[in-house]
Amino acid sequence: MDIYRLVIRPLLFSGLKADPEWLHERILAVLNFVEESDTNSPVRLILTQLEQSLGKKDARLEQNLWGIRFQNPVGLAAGFDKNGVAAGIWGSLGFGFAEMGTVTLHGQPGNPRPRLFRLVADNAGLNRMGFNNEGAAALALRLESLIHSQHLRVPLGVNLGKSKVTPLVEAAGDYLGSFKLLDDWGDYFVVNVSSPNTPGLRSLQEASQLSTILDALQGANRNSKPILVKIAPDLDWEAIASVIDLAKTYQLAGIVATNTTISREGLKTQILPQTGKPIGEEAGGISGKPLRDRSTEAIRFIWQQTQGKLPIIGVGGIFTAEDAWEKITAGASLLQIYTGWVYEGPWTIRRILEGLLQKLEEKGLSSISEAVGIEGMKTGNL
């Protein structure tokens, strides 16, 4: 019996009708308390028990990319732990890795509240957070402390965004400033030029502007850290192909596909209850189930265009093992989850991992790496 889906979720989503961002902050506060608890405290002992329940360890699930070992391919997507306040605990919750941020060079409050909404009828979320975070220097201090205390248990990525106060023409310097502060502490880095919630940011996906950012970062990449770029699902195939070309030119480590979508097509939610306005008039990006198919199509396209030579982190609409398997076989080497975890609860990761192991057995495969892209070369509706 899954007490979260049967009791807790209905209470939180419908009964209490609490603000999603308020709940989010409370969850992070609890995780931060657990993380900072003494090693021998009762809280830590409970966490050890939870780790046995929430995770799944099996050598067949391991992935090795960029010289980094991932115990399993399912990670926490950027946006949940922007400031790394629970950076040392995500492995205990079953995740194979976690991505901190989005972080900007200058700390910023983000957009006015309310800015995070659930579209329950669609198994989706709507957010217009606006990169609210404490800034790159604060995240660097937190990660440095965790690494020195040896509390980190899974690889950590860092998602880099542009500060709102920084003009678009100075974007490269802004990304570079964050990267220099965090270079020693992130296992990999993602250039986020695809959020719909910072004015003009998505224009940085254009080849002429993105190349300036990538050139600056790779020029300062003294530790040869893997650098990826995160794309929007709303790009057309020609634009995605241009990003792929840049990835090759600047020897990027991979592509994260995809961010949230600005499309409102096919949504069951027509009016946002919290504001009373039509969903088409509400700013922000949609995550969750409505994004699933488009993100998988983007993964398949990238896999086809690169002949499987450019690693892909697949994100968007992953709720079940079937969703995860679909993205892996389309070409994703790693996966990320956020909205699906919120809807399905803390045992989601274990269910997905157990389902992936079952798929491997059914297909006669010995590891998850063998499944990457096995359907990706088939012609899709591109």
Side-chain angles (χ1 to χ4, degrees):
M1 183 180 73
D2 188 335
I3 192 172
Y4 179 86
R5 292 194 291 184
L6 289 175
V7 179
I8 298 176
R9 184 178 68 185
L11 180 64
L12 295 179
F13 283 25
S14 303
L16 297 178
K17 296 183 178 179
D19 173 58
E21 185 172 358
W22 181 86
L23 282 174
H24 188 133
E25 291 169 345
R26 301 289 77 74
I27 291 170
L28 283 175
V30 170
L31 294 177
N32 178 253
F33 170 76
V34 173
E35 182 183 287
E36 295 184 350
S37 298
D38 184 77
T39 305
N40 297 317
S41 69
V43 173
R44 281 280 174 175
L45 295 176
I46 292 172
L47 182 62
T48 301
Q49 295 300 315
L50 278 177
E51 187 172 357
Q52 302 298 320
S53 172
L54 302 179
K56 182 70 176 179
K57 293 183 179 180
D58 192 300
R60 293 171 293 173
L61 293 170
E62 292 182 9
Q63 276 285 51
N64 289 278
L65 289 174
W66 318 305
I68 303 170
R69 175 179 170 268
F70 299 85
Q71 280 195 350
N72 72 67
V74 183
L76 178 74
F80 199 100
D81 192 0
K82 294 175 184 288
N83 298 306
V85 298
I89 208 170
W90 295 113
S92 297
L93 301 182
F95 292 96
F97 65 106
E99 192 167 306
M100 304 296 96
T102 297
V103 64
T104 54
L105 179 59
H106 305 287
Q108 55 189 41
N111 293 324
R113 301 190 188 208
R115 54 195 182 182
L116 181 63
F117 310 90
R118 295 191 198 93
L119 311 183
V120 178
D122 297 287
N123 284 310
L126 168 65
N127 96 80
R128 46 173 176 259
M129 303 297 288
F131 289 168
N132 56 305
N133 74 104
E134 297 172 359
L139 179 60
L141 285 173
R142 187 166 289 120
L143 296 185
E144 179 182 8
S145 175
L146 281 170
I147 289 171
H148 286 162
S149 65
Q150 297 183 326
H151 279 177
L152 286 180
R153 307 186 63 179
V154 295
L156 288 186
V158 177
N159 188 289
L160 304 174
K162 183 190 76 68
S163 307
K164 189 174 182 180
V165 297
T166 301
L168 287 170
V169 294
E170 299 174 16
D174 194 85
Y175 283 96
L176 180 59
S178 294
F179 179 68
K180 285 182 174 179
L181 287 168
L182 289 155
D183 183 21
D184 288 331
W185 315 119
D187 290 298
Y188 71 88
F189 290 83
V190 176
V191 180
N192 187 345
V193 286
S194 50
S195 169
N197 301 318
T198 295
L201 187 78
R202 284 192 166 193
S203 69
L204 297 177
Q205 293 176 110
E206 297 173 6
S208 59
Q209 299 194 64
L210 182 56
S211 62
T212 304
I213 297 169
L214 299 180
D215 185 62
L217 294 179
Q218 289 291 44
N221 193 5
R222 56 186 173 82
N223 292 324
S224 299
K225 290 294 178 73
I227 296 177
L228 299 85
V229 65
K230 188 170 188 175
I231 63 171
D234 310 300
L235 293 178
D236 59 28
W237 303 123
E238 183 178 354
I240 295 177
S242 295
V243 174
I244 292 171
D245 288 340
L246 283 177
K248 294 176 181 177
T249 299
Y250 290 97
Q251 297 181 311
L252 294 190
I255 293 177
V256 181
T258 62
N259 214 318
T260 56
T261 179
I262 58 175
S263 172
R264 303 294 188 262
E265 184 179 353
L267 291 179
K268 296 176 183 177
T269 304
Q270 293 300 305
I271 301 293
L272 195 62
Q274 293 90 334
T275 66
K277 294 180 181 179
I279 194 69
E281 296 179 9
E282 294 287 355
I286 300 289
S287 62
K289 284 269 181 80
L291 186 60
R292 181 184 61 195
D293 293 344
R294 177 59 182 178
S295 66
T296 302
E297 289 174 357
I299 291 165
R300 185 176 294 113
F301 178 81
I302 296 166
W303 176 266
Q304 292 171 343
Q305 294 297 307
T306 63
Q307 297 182 323
K309 296 178 180 178
L310 187 67
I312 303 164
I313 299 179
V315 55
I318 299 173
F319 283 63
T320 66
E322 193 66 41
D323 299 331
W325 183 254
E326 185 178 65
K327 282 180 166 48
I328 290 171
T329 57
S333 294
L334 297 172
L335 306 170
Q336 290 178 336
I337 186 172
Y338 178 160
T339 304
W341 193 63
V342 170
Y343 272 86
E344 297 299 305
W347 283 273
T348 308
I349 307 303
R350 184 182 181 93
R351 285 194 296 267
I352 289 175
L353 296 177
E354 288 179 337
L356 291 178
L357 288 171
Q358 184 177 343
K359 290 285 187 182
L360 290 178
E361 291 175 1
E362 291 173 357
K363 302 295 181 181
L365 303 175
S366 60
S367 71
I368 205 71
S369 60
E370 293 180 6
V372 175
I374 59 174
E375 298 294 333
M377 296 306 292
K378 293 183 179 180
T379 303
N381 295 318
L382 304 180

